[in-house]
Amino acid sequence: MNGIYFDNNATTRVDPAVVETMLPYFTEQFGNPSSMHSFGNKVGLAIKKARMQVQELLGAEYDSEIIFTSCGTESDSTAILSALKAQPERREIITTTVEHPAVLTLCTYLEKEGYKVHLLQVDGKGRLDMDEYRARLSDQTAVVSVMWANNETGTFFPVVEMAELANAAGAMFHTDAVQAAGKVPLNLKDTKIDMLSVSGHKLHAPKGIGVLYLKRGTRFRPMLRGGHQERGRRAGTENSASIVGLGHAAEMAMAAMTFENTEVARLRDKLEAGILAKVPRSFVTGDPDNRLPNTSNIAFEFIEGEAILLLLNKFGIAASSGSACTSGSLEPSHVMRAMGIPYTAAHGTVRFSLSRYSTEFEVNRVIQVVPEIIAQLRRLSPYWEGDGPAAEPEKAFAPVYA
Amino acid sequence: MWDYSDKVKDHFFQPRNAGVLADANGVGDVGSISCGDALRLMLKVEPESDIILDAQFQTFGCGSAIASSSALTEMIRGLTLEEALKVSNQDIADYLDGLPPEKMHCSVMGREALQAAVANYRGEVWSDDHEEGALVCKCFAIDAVLIEDTIRSNHLCSVQDVTNYTKAGGGCSSCHEGIEDILARVMKDRGETYKPGSAPKEEASPAGLTNLQRIRRIEAVLEAVRPQLKRDGGDIELVDVDGKTIYVNMTGACAGCQMEALTLQGIQQKLMEELKEFIKIVPTKVSSLTRAMKG
Ligand SMILES: Cc1ncc(COP(=O)(O)O)c(C=O)c1O
């Protein structure tokens, strides 16, 4: 596959060096780290090293605060369910309207189980109202779960400050840092964040490995009980090869942190400016001044995202969209709707997410291809007339049944 | 990535008849901007003959919406309005060699645009009566609104009921939690509590038909497809009706040919629309006579 891969927020390619470090753990080093013989011993040491590499990436105080899980979703579920189990007298959850389904779907389910869920709204740029947050916090709040960076727009939430406020209210604070870990520096030891989720496949480690950071002293109730793995906090024989891979990927991400926040950010900015300059009626969604260095989410008005992706794919360019059609749902992305982006633009949002492997050449190529694709689809659009939208587009085309 | 057929891809990448039709005398605008699919169909109809001389479209929508629009214009050009109105959404999907279940609504939209454009040509006002809900059953492309309406109007109280009336849940069964949620909600509205183990309702024919009426309808559907099968050198006969299973015998060029499964699927669909219930069509190699003799 020699395409242009600008969909790194969906998943990343495993770095060849990461694959290299993993391979022995499928063959010679196949032992069970719990075993008493030498087949297991080396594996145990490798896992210990990986735990320290992840500790380093997260800026955690102790390596025992790192619990390996099977994915970001498991970490999110474990954190929220643990907080509820550990504080049965507190019956409320605070989260946001723009969380990943890994958090939102669980919260919807918990609501049916009788918990009260407060969904914090966002403004047009995807920002929270801190006064609303303060007003929702109470002695009933069991847990606050707020993502570090949004997967669709890259927009950051002020989680460090929010964790302080939660702590002051006696509530636990969890953050889904699946998109932030490896892309921006984290320093958990200086925060009041109790729990944090990471997913390996977003930082060039394999799929199916994740981390739950659990601050020492935070009361915890495991989701999976069984053996004593992960100090009894997550039973199940360790996915040793993937853990080793994630450790190495964490170390590589640490080494590339400056590059990610200078060079990758520069390429992203160039891509965005190049497209906006050439495509009329397009705009950036989210908060461009406060977001991940690799992410750009652009709304192209009056056309639909899946059609854009299919045409991009024909040119070997991979991106993703917030349109309803790409997910087979009835509504465009809940993140776009929460920001009040109108339907005629929300369906036409395209997320470009770069990585440290993205090149200037690729950026130039995408800038060259996108405007023609957009023009081509607009020629088919009933909202479009010649070189611009029809006068009063919503009146020019008002289909029956909405 | 959707599993689009080559035909869908072809009609998306090279849409036929796209753009404004300047001298259109029938225009239909349908779709839903919240769902992200909407279509304007423009027809040029010859008043003397009611023949569609030209058809063009503009579409705001995904790959399959654009492909369905393009296919529709190809299918109806040259037809009379009466003929064109017989084009069903399944016909559009078949023309494209099938659509993923999540995308069947694109073909429905095509058919509705056609109805709206014809109504517009005739100076009538077309109104849509269907509301679309979130897809629940992926095997049979059944949405939440249809399930909810069916539960409400037929007083259903079990997943099996819902499957019998709508097909939803009759395949892989992954959507049973979703169906149970809808059941619980609707039953609460009518003051009952949903109980997972409760027995399905009497298996009455949803369309309220007697056995004889039901068999007559089945025969009528089969009768209607026979001319086409005969043209291809084949034939079909009704062997037996056993509850929800309809046994047929395919003969001549149809038997065992690659098209058999496809044809049967189409007939099954027509039968279900006619009987308003979930039935299964099963080809047998036994003729009705020998089967009757075996008792
Ligand atoms: C913000 C966020 N949280 C959670 C997840 C889920 O992670 P995983 O796929 O490892 O379960 C993702 C990945 O799609 C994500 O972007």
Side-chain angles (χ1 to χ4, degrees):
Chain A
M1 286 287 293
N2 263 335
I4 298 178
Y5 187 75
F6 281 3
D7 200 12
N8 287 281
N9 286 11
T11 195
T12 59
R13 107 180 158 130
V14 183
D15 191 291
V18 170
V19 176
E20 203 59 39
T21 57
M22 290 173 66
L23 289 177
Y25 296 89
F26 293 107
T27 51
E28 305 99 71
Q29 301 296 337
F30 65 85
N32 189 324
S34 305
S35 301
M36 281 310 295
H37 45 65
S38 57
F39 288 92
N41 186 30
K42 286 224 175 86
V43 184
L45 290 174
I47 290 178
K48 189 174 160 66
K49 178 176 172 198
R51 203 180 301 281
M52 286 161 65
Q53 287 164 319
V54 173
Q55 176 197 358
E56 185 78 7
L57 180 72
L58 302 184
E61 190 166 3
Y62 307 100
D63 67 349
S64 58
E65 292 174 328
I66 308 300
I67 303 172
F68 289 111
T69 65
S70 72
C71 60
T73 304
E74 185 193 325
S75 303
D76 287 344
S77 271
T78 305
I80 293 170
L81 294 173
S82 164
L84 297 177
K85 273 268 184 284
Q87 314 163 89
E89 68 294 352
R90 292 178 176 243
R91 305 285 299 170
E92 295 185 11
I93 304 166
I94 299 178
T95 184
T96 79
T97 50
V98 297
E99 293 301 307
H100 188 273
V103 169
L104 273 186
T105 313
L106 175 66
C107 287
T108 312
Y109 171 75
L110 290 168
E111 206 163 27
K112 280 200 278 182
E113 298 285 291
Y115 291 93
K116 181 160 181 54
V117 177
H118 299 278
L119 289 175
L120 301 177
Q121 308 289 315
V122 296
D123 68 6
K125 285 188 159 185
R127 295 171 302 198
L128 292 173
D129 176 351
M130 292 297 275
D131 289 334
E132 187 196 353
Y133 173 51
R134 279 189 200 91
R136 298 274 178 238
L137 272 173
S138 75
D139 60 5
Q140 275 305 301
T141 315
V143 60
V144 179
S145 180
V146 170
M147 67 203 319
W148 198 301
N150 186 272
N151 45 305
E152 292 191 29
T153 62
T155 305
F156 294 130
F157 281 143
V159 285
V160 173
E161 184 189 344
M162 293 176 86
E164 301 271 348
L165 291 168
N167 187 261
M172 290 188 188
F173 191 89
H174 164 252
T175 179
D176 177 334
V178 165
Q179 292 295 342
K183 295 186 191 130
V184 291
L186 308 178
N187 198 13
L188 294 178
K189 59 178 158 308
D190 295 339
T191 74
K192 293 274 195 292
I193 292 169
D194 298 297
M195 294 174 284
L196 173 143
S197 305
V198 175
S199 176
H201 70 101
K202 310 287 185 180
L203 51 120
H204 306 285
K207 294 153 190 54
I209 185 74
V211 165
L212 174 64
Y213 160 86
L214 178 69
K215 191 180 274 303
R216 181 172 287 189
T218 303
R219 293 176 59 227
F220 184 72
R221 299 290 179 269
M223 188 164 77
L224 296 186
R225 290 174 192 268
H228 55 257
Q229 296 90 351
E230 304 301 296
R231 297 170 191 252
R233 295 168 304 178
R234 200 284 188 183
T237 300
E238 297 86 342
N239 181 354
S240 39
S242 292
I243 290 173
V244 169
L246 176 55
H248 195 71
E251 188 175 323
M252 292 181 76
M254 271 305 266
M257 197 57 80
T258 309
F259 185 83
E260 184 85 30
N261 287 278
T262 52
E263 188 54 19
V264 177
R266 183 188 70 79
L267 287 177
R268 186 272 317 271
D269 290 343
K270 178 176 179 179
L271 174 76
E272 189 170 274
I275 291 174
L276 292 181
K278 286 211 237 163
V279 181
R281 300 300 295 243
S282 60
F283 60 89
V284 174
T285 71
D287 185 359
D289 300 325
N290 186 33
R291 61 176 166 170
L292 291 171
N294 75 320
T295 309
S296 170
N297 191 305
I298 303 181
F300 299 101
E301 288 188 84
F302 308 118
I303 51 174
E304 194 278 332
E306 185 204 293
I308 303 174
L309 297 187
L310 289 170
L311 288 174
L312 282 172
N313 188 52
K314 219 177 139 192
F315 288 91
I317 299 167
S320 68
S321 165
S323 91
C325 298
T326 47
S327 59
S329 58
L330 284 180
E331 280 268 317
S333 131
H334 66 289
V335 178
M336 296 303 146
R337 293 304 297 152
M339 293 191 294
I341 310 282
Y343 284 118
T344 43
H347 284 291
T349 49
V350 176
R351 176 186 71 189
F352 299 97
S353 46
L354 281 59
S355 78
R356 58 179 187 264
Y357 305 102
S358 305
T359 65
E360 190 105 28
F361 176 82
E362 292 176 334
V363 165
N364 291 338
R365 175 81 181 135
V366 175
I367 294 174
Q368 183 193 4
V369 166
V370 166
E372 178 41 40
I373 286 177
I374 303 302
Q376 184 181 334
L377 288 172
R378 280 177 174 166
R379 282 196 288 275
L380 292 180
S381 169
Y383 291 105
W384 204 256
E385 237 175 60
D387 294 333
E392 294 194 80
E394 263 96 45
K395 276 194 198 148
F397 182 67
V400 181
Y401 88 77
Chain B
M1 193 65 138
W2 302 113
D3 189 10
Y4 284 140
S5 71
D6 289 340
K7 201 84 173 275
V8 172
K9 287 184 203 153
D10 177 41
H11 276 266
F12 169 68
F13 287 122
Q14 280 101 27
R16 327 288 200 267
N17 317 314
V20 177
L21 181 60
D23 48 356
N25 53 7
V27 178
D29 290 354
V30 299
S32 160
I33 285 310
S34 64
C35 301
D37 284 315
L39 151 67
R40 167 175 290 167
L41 179 69
M42 293 152 280
L43 304 179
K44 187 178 166 196
V45 183
E46 187 179 61
E48 299 76 38
S49 62
D50 262 6
I51 286 177
I52 299 171
L53 298 177
D54 205 350
Q56 294 206 176
F57 75 92
Q58 285 178 299
T59 293
F60 170 95
C62 60
S64 58
I66 290 172
S68 296
S69 311
S70 166
L72 173 68
T73 56
E74 287 284 277
M75 292 169 77
I76 61 173
R77 280 176 154 205
L79 298 188
T80 65
L81 294 182
E82 280 315 313
E83 289 167 339
L85 284 173
K86 292 208 185 92
V87 173
S88 71
N89 78 296
Q90 190 64 42
D91 292 335
I92 300 173
D94 290 347
Y95 183 90
L96 290 167
D97 294 339
L99 287 171
E102 287 87 346
K103 300 291 188 170
M104 279 305 285
H105 67 96
C106 293
S107 63
V108 174
M109 185 171 75
R111 181 179 153 72
E112 293 182 336
L114 180 59
Q115 292 171 335
V118 172
N120 174 263
Y121 167 75
R122 290 176 173 162
E124 301 160 2
V125 180
W126 180 80
S127 70
D128 174 64
D129 52 359
H130 102 280
E131 189 193 343
E132 206 186 330
L135 189 65
V136 175
C137 168
K138 292 200 177 181
C139 296
F140 298 113
I142 314 290
D143 69 57
V145 171
L146 180 68
I147 293 174
E148 180 165 342
D149 288 352
T150 311
I151 295 173
R152 239 179 249 293
S153 47
N154 297 287
H155 268 74
L156 305 184
C157 45
S158 75
V159 174
Q160 188 60 48
D161 283 340
V162 173
T163 306
N164 289 344
Y165 279 70
T166 67
K167 271 170 78 182
C172 74
S173 83
S174 319
C175 63
H176 285 195
E177 183 184 356
I179 295 176
E180 289 191 37
D181 282 351
I182 303 177
L183 274 167
R185 182 156 43 79
V186 176
M187 288 178 69
K188 196 168 161 216
D189 286 353
R190 55 175 204 243
E192 298 171 36
T193 343
Y194 169 67
K195 285 191 226 67
S198 67
K201 282 169 67 102
E202 287 282 318
E203 285 218 5
S205 157
L209 305 174
T210 68
N211 260 343
L212 192 61
Q213 287 170 325
R214 210 164 151 257
I215 290 174
R216 290 222 172 103
R217 284 212 191 174
I218 295 169
E219 280 176 335
V221 170
L222 295 183
E223 214 45 54
V225 297
R226 287 181 70 195
Q228 199 190 333
L229 294 176
K230 282 186 173 159
R231 231 176 298 143
D232 299 334
D235 205 349
I236 189 168
E237 73 172 325
L238 181 64
V239 175
D240 200 359
V241 180
D242 182 6
K244 302 214 171 288
T245 313
I246 298 174
Y247 295 94
V248 296
N249 192 14
M250 303 277 280
T251 56
C254 299
C257 84
Q258 283 197 336
M259 294 302 288
E260 181 181 294
L262 214 65
T263 310
L264 282 177
Q265 212 180 357
I267 298 174
Q268 175 169 307
Q269 189 67 33
K270 286 207 177 74
L271 281 168
M272 283 191 290
E273 278 167 25
E274 188 61 31
L275 300 173
K276 301 191 171 43
E277 61 182 306
F278 173 47
I279 56 94
K280 202 163 65 190
I281 192 160
V282 177
T284 66
K285 291 282 164 269
V286 195
S287 79
S288 54
L289 196 64
T290 45
R291 197 179 152 89
M293 286 195 310
K294 276 186 197 156

